[in-house]
Amino acid sequence: LHDTSLINPLRIGASCAHSLAKRGVHLALTYSKNKSGMEDIVKSIRASGAEGVDKLRISIHQVDVGVIEEIG
């Protein structure tokens, strides 16, 4: 049996966002329901102390990618 509790989309997304921010990439992050979780990710990126992170544009947007009308 595989332990699927270790597969958490928010943690995977947070890891990707941190990695991109460290490379100086501006971020447009999306969430469907957990706005506070996304705000925590942005705070942790800002607090990371990575070079130039204070100059990054980071925005968050509520989007349910399962609903085609919300994507466009």
Side-chain angles (χ1 to χ4, degrees):
L1 285 170
H2 297 295
D3 183 2
T4 57
S5 66
L6 298 176
I7 301 171
N8 181 331
L10 187 59
R11 292 186 69 185
I12 294 168
S15 178
C16 291
H18 275 274
S19 180
L20 290 167
K22 286 179 187 176
R23 290 177 171 85
V25 176
H26 301 290
L27 303 171
L29 306 173
T30 62
Y31 69 96
S32 61
K33 295 181 178 138
N34 189 358
K35 183 178 181 179
S36 66
M38 189 58 66
E39 290 169 339
D40 289 344
I41 292 169
V42 173
K43 288 177 191 172
S44 70
I45 291 170
R46 295 282 186 209
S48 71
E51 185 177 342
V53 75
D54 57 324
K55 294 181 173 80
L56 291 181
R57 292 187 308 265
I58 303 175
S59 59
I60 59 173
H61 310 273
Q62 184 176 20
V63 177
D64 184 343
V65 295
V67 178
I68 193 81
E69 292 81 13
E70 290 190 25
I71 297 172

